[in-house]
Amino acid sequence: MSDEHPQDAEPLEADTGEREPQLDPELAARRRAALARIVQFGDPVLKSKGQDITVFDDALRAEIARMAELMDEALGIGLAANQVGRLKRLLVYKVEPDSPVQALVNPRIEWSSKEQEVFEEGCLSLSGVLVDVERPVHVRVRAQDGNGEGMLIEASGLEARVIQHEMDHLDGVLILDRTSRDQRKQAMRTLREQLETAA
Ligand code: ZN
């Protein structure tokens, strides 16, 4: 999980949403269109750091709404501003299908547990890639909302993982940077093959 959409009894993905074998054709088409608007691996924006947000205006709130919609259409559970080409410290996530979208502006990890867990993650910017990533199980995060109000989030499990995955994006870090050498090599092969097929 990371930004992908978790499927029943299947490995979770973070901002992804890959592996929807029996996806309704209309939903699948919408998802493809959404993915085409998400920055894909190879674009330097994914390796760049976002800047703190200092202006909390209607434009920011509109950007949050656009990112939330795109994440939903891509069947993702998280999306960071880098993934839409914006170098700003902003992310959205929605772990449960029915829960409201959370938007975190300028998030900072205040505390993370010593307890770590390995889980398979995917990413909306790394189509077809799933790798094991070890992360703290619990985190406490300070952030602001779209109005600049301070918020404190105590998250565990999937929510903690998604937040950390998206926060990595804001620092230009990808799951490829957090997995084993072997899995990274395999993932790079998959990404290269896709590029060749698309070309
Ligand atoms: Zn991602």
Short mmCIF file of all heavy atoms in Angstrom, two decimals, residues 2-4 14-16 46 78-80 83 121-126 165-166 169 173-175, ligand 1:
data_model
loop_
_atom_site.label_atom_id
_atom_site.label_comp_id
_atom_site.label_asym_id
_atom_site.label_seq_id
_atom_site.Cartn_x
_atom_site.Cartn_y
_atom_site.Cartn_z
N SER A 2 0.58 2.12 -0.28
CA SER A 2 1.26 3.35 -0.10
C SER A 2 0.33 4.22 -0.74
O SER A 2 -0.62 4.50 -0.17
CB SER A 2 2.48 3.50 -0.85
OG SER A 2 3.32 2.68 -0.49
N ASP A 3 0.51 4.52 -2.01
CA ASP A 3 -0.61 5.29 -2.41
C ASP A 3 -1.61 4.47 -3.19
O ASP A 3 -2.56 4.99 -3.65
CB ASP A 3 -0.31 6.57 -3.13
CG ASP A 3 1.05 6.73 -3.61
OD1 ASP A 3 1.90 5.98 -3.22
OD2 ASP A 3 1.27 7.62 -4.34
N GLU A 4 -1.40 3.20 -3.27
CA GLU A 4 -2.35 2.43 -4.05
C GLU A 4 -3.53 1.97 -3.23
O GLU A 4 -3.58 2.11 -2.05
CB GLU A 4 -1.65 1.24 -4.67
CG GLU A 4 -0.51 1.72 -5.55
CD GLU A 4 -0.21 0.74 -6.63
OE1 GLU A 4 -1.15 0.35 -7.32
OE2 GLU A 4 0.96 0.39 -6.79
N ALA A 14 0.33 1.79 -1.75
CA ALA A 14 0.15 3.11 -1.19
C ALA A 14 -0.53 3.99 -2.16
O ALA A 14 -1.72 4.04 -2.23
CB ALA A 14 1.47 3.67 -0.81
N ASP A 15 0.19 4.75 -2.95
CA ASP A 15 -0.66 5.61 -3.76
C ASP A 15 -1.15 4.94 -5.00
O ASP A 15 -1.73 5.54 -5.83
CB ASP A 15 -0.05 6.94 -4.10
CG ASP A 15 1.42 6.95 -4.26
OD1 ASP A 15 2.04 5.90 -4.33
OD2 ASP A 15 1.96 8.01 -4.32
N THR A 16 -0.90 3.68 -5.11
CA THR A 16 -1.28 3.06 -6.34
C THR A 16 -2.70 2.69 -6.38
O THR A 16 -3.53 3.32 -5.84
CB THR A 16 -0.47 1.84 -6.54
OG1 THR A 16 0.57 1.96 -5.65
CG2 THR A 16 0.02 1.78 -7.90
N LEU A 46 9.88 13.98 -9.12
CA LEU A 46 9.70 12.95 -8.10
C LEU A 46 10.92 12.80 -7.20
O LEU A 46 10.86 12.16 -6.16
CB LEU A 46 9.37 11.60 -8.75
CG LEU A 46 8.02 11.50 -9.47
CD1 LEU A 46 7.88 10.16 -10.16
CD2 LEU A 46 6.86 11.73 -8.50
N GLY A 78 -3.58 7.60 -1.47
CA GLY A 78 -2.77 8.74 -1.07
C GLY A 78 -2.15 9.39 -2.30
O GLY A 78 -2.00 8.73 -3.34
N LEU A 79 -1.87 10.67 -2.20
CA LEU A 79 -1.26 11.39 -3.33
C LEU A 79 -0.49 12.58 -2.77
O LEU A 79 -1.01 13.31 -1.92
CB LEU A 79 -2.34 11.85 -4.31
CG LEU A 79 -1.88 12.41 -5.66
CD1 LEU A 79 -1.23 11.34 -6.53
CD2 LEU A 79 -3.07 13.03 -6.41
N ALA A 80 0.74 12.75 -3.25
CA ALA A 80 1.57 13.87 -2.80
C ALA A 80 1.68 14.90 -3.93
O ALA A 80 1.55 14.55 -5.11
CB ALA A 80 2.96 13.36 -2.43
N GLN A 83 3.54 14.45 -7.16
CA GLN A 83 2.97 13.55 -8.16
C GLN A 83 2.04 14.27 -9.14
O GLN A 83 1.63 13.68 -10.13
CB GLN A 83 2.21 12.40 -7.47
CG GLN A 83 3.14 11.51 -6.65
CD GLN A 83 2.38 10.42 -5.95
OE1 GLN A 83 1.74 10.65 -4.93
NE2 GLN A 83 2.43 9.22 -6.50
N GLU A 121 4.42 -2.32 -0.82
CA GLU A 121 3.87 -1.03 -1.23
C GLU A 121 3.97 -0.86 -2.74
O GLU A 121 4.91 -1.31 -3.36
CB GLU A 121 4.63 0.14 -0.57
CG GLU A 121 4.48 0.19 0.93
CD GLU A 121 5.06 1.47 1.53
OE1 GLU A 121 5.29 2.46 0.80
OE2 GLU A 121 5.29 1.46 2.75
N GLY A 122 2.99 -0.15 -3.26
CA GLY A 122 3.04 0.29 -4.64
C GLY A 122 2.95 1.79 -4.65
O GLY A 122 2.87 2.42 -3.60
N CYS A 123 2.94 2.37 -5.83
CA CYS A 123 2.94 3.83 -5.92
C CYS A 123 2.28 4.23 -7.23
O CYS A 123 2.54 3.62 -8.26
CB CYS A 123 4.37 4.34 -5.85
SG CYS A 123 4.52 6.12 -6.00
N LEU A 124 1.43 5.25 -7.19
CA LEU A 124 0.75 5.70 -8.41
C LEU A 124 1.73 6.21 -9.45
O LEU A 124 1.39 6.32 -10.62
CB LEU A 124 -0.27 6.80 -8.07
CG LEU A 124 -1.50 6.35 -7.27
CD1 LEU A 124 -2.35 7.55 -6.88
CD2 LEU A 124 -2.33 5.35 -8.04
N SER A 125 2.97 6.53 -9.04
CA SER A 125 3.97 7.02 -9.98
C SER A 125 4.90 5.92 -10.48
O SER A 125 5.81 6.17 -11.27
CB SER A 125 4.82 8.13 -9.32
OG SER A 125 4.01 9.24 -9.03
N LEU A 126 4.68 4.70 -9.97
CA LEU A 126 5.54 3.56 -10.36
C LEU A 126 4.64 2.41 -10.78
O LEU A 126 4.46 1.44 -10.04
CB LEU A 126 6.41 3.12 -9.18
CG LEU A 126 7.38 4.13 -8.59
CD1 LEU A 126 7.94 3.61 -7.27
CD2 LEU A 126 8.51 4.43 -9.55
N HIS A 165 4.66 7.20 3.42
CA HIS A 165 4.94 7.06 1.99
C HIS A 165 4.80 8.41 1.29
O HIS A 165 5.65 8.82 0.52
CB HIS A 165 3.97 6.02 1.39
CG HIS A 165 4.04 5.86 -0.09
ND1 HIS A 165 4.48 4.71 -0.69
CD2 HIS A 165 3.73 6.71 -1.10
CE1 HIS A 165 4.44 4.86 -2.01
NE2 HIS A 165 3.98 6.08 -2.29
N GLU A 166 3.69 9.12 1.60
CA GLU A 166 3.45 10.41 0.94
C GLU A 166 4.45 11.45 1.42
O GLU A 166 4.89 12.31 0.65
CB GLU A 166 2.02 10.88 1.18
CG GLU A 166 0.92 9.90 0.76
CD GLU A 166 1.06 9.37 -0.65
OE1 GLU A 166 1.66 10.06 -1.50
OE2 GLU A 166 0.58 8.25 -0.93
N HIS A 169 7.53 11.26 -0.52
CA HIS A 169 7.43 11.95 -1.82
C HIS A 169 7.83 13.42 -1.66
O HIS A 169 8.53 13.98 -2.51
CB HIS A 169 6.00 11.90 -2.35
CG HIS A 169 5.66 10.64 -3.11
ND1 HIS A 169 6.35 10.24 -4.23
CD2 HIS A 169 4.68 9.72 -2.92
CE1 HIS A 169 5.81 9.10 -4.68
NE2 HIS A 169 4.81 8.77 -3.91
N VAL A 173 11.78 11.18 -2.04
CA VAL A 173 12.14 9.78 -1.77
C VAL A 173 11.04 8.85 -2.27
O VAL A 173 9.85 9.10 -2.04
CB VAL A 173 12.36 9.57 -0.25
CG1 VAL A 173 12.61 8.10 0.07
CG2 VAL A 173 13.52 10.43 0.24
N LEU A 174 11.45 7.79 -2.97
CA LEU A 174 10.50 6.82 -3.51
C LEU A 174 10.68 5.47 -2.82
O LEU A 174 11.72 5.22 -2.21
CB LEU A 174 10.72 6.65 -5.02
CG LEU A 174 10.49 7.90 -5.87
CD1 LEU A 174 10.93 7.66 -7.30
CD2 LEU A 174 9.02 8.32 -5.83
N ILE A 175 9.69 4.60 -2.97
CA ILE A 175 9.80 3.27 -2.35
C ILE A 175 11.00 2.51 -2.88
O ILE A 175 11.53 1.64 -2.20
CB ILE A 175 8.49 2.45 -2.51
CG1 ILE A 175 8.03 2.42 -3.97
CG2 ILE A 175 7.40 3.00 -1.63
CD1 ILE A 175 6.78 1.55 -4.20
ZN ZN B 1 3.78 7.05 -4.09
#
